[in-house]
Amino acid sequence: MYIDQLLDLVCLQLLRAHSASSMPISPGPQRGLSGWQVKRVTGYMRENMAEDIRIQELADLVNLSRFHFCTAFRMATGQTPYGWLTRQRIASAKTLLRDMKLRVNDIALAVGHETQSAFAASFRKAVGITPTEFRRRL
């Protein structure tokens, strides 16, 4: 999702910088997503947390372009779709780490990370400690 957002931003900047048109490119929706759109998208992300979710999938849920969706989502939630999903994954991981029967690797897969090391890096960046240390402190 992060790469999709980055590509959209680069394309928009190129269009703005090199367009022959004197009309400015529309900045997108001014009010963000409506309540039902936020619920639909966030519900989809929660249900498919373990999967690789693409920006286009989320934008298609609410019939918007990828760029407009990203802008509207950020306006409605104060976060990018990638940031929101990452926070949800970390929150879910914290809950799962309380169950000592679950292995850290299984938790990593359950919250959408392909490897335990990627999960540990993401968790450490968000929480400040590794998942193992978090579990130990419980």
Side-chain angles (χ1 to χ4, degrees):
M1 278 195 323
Y2 180 75
I3 292 171
D4 287 343
Q5 286 179 323
L6 187 60
L7 286 173
D8 287 343
L9 182 61
V10 168
C11 290
L12 178 66
Q13 293 303 325
L14 287 172
L15 282 172
R16 284 183 177 159
H18 302 289
S19 177
S21 172
S22 61
M23 292 183 65
I25 297 173
S26 173
Q30 295 299 314
R31 295 184 210 127
L33 298 175
S34 65
W36 72 267
Q37 289 174 316
V38 171
K39 283 182 182 179
R40 177 181 258 180
V41 170
T42 56
Y44 180 84
M45 285 194 276
R46 279 189 193 105
E47 290 170 8
N48 298 288
M49 188 180 301
E51 305 299 320
D52 181 27
I53 301 172
R54 297 217 163 281
I55 292 290
Q56 190 62 54
E57 290 175 63
L58 301 175
D60 288 345
L61 288 172
V62 292
N63 297 318
L64 292 174
S65 70
R66 290 184 339 191
F67 175 75
H68 287 116
F69 168 75
C70 290
T71 303
F73 188 90
R74 188 173 54 248
M75 291 176 82
T77 64
Q79 303 174 55
T80 64
Y82 178 77
W84 189 93
L85 182 59
T86 300
R87 284 177 183 80
Q88 292 301 309
R89 286 176 168 165
I90 297 300
S92 180
K94 285 180 177 180
T95 302
L96 293 172
L97 284 167
R98 295 181 191 284
D99 184 353
M100 298 298 179
K101 295 175 188 168
L102 294 174
R103 296 180 325 165
V104 174
N105 190 45
D106 295 334
I107 294 170
L109 295 173
V111 296
H113 292 275
E114 292 183 13
T115 64
Q116 184 176 343
S117 61
F119 169 60
S122 178
F123 193 91
R124 173 181 265 159
K125 183 177 179 182
V127 180
I129 56 176
T130 64
T132 305
E133 181 64 25
F134 178 84
R135 179 176 265 178
R136 209 174 295 138
R137 291 184 183 184
L138 292 174

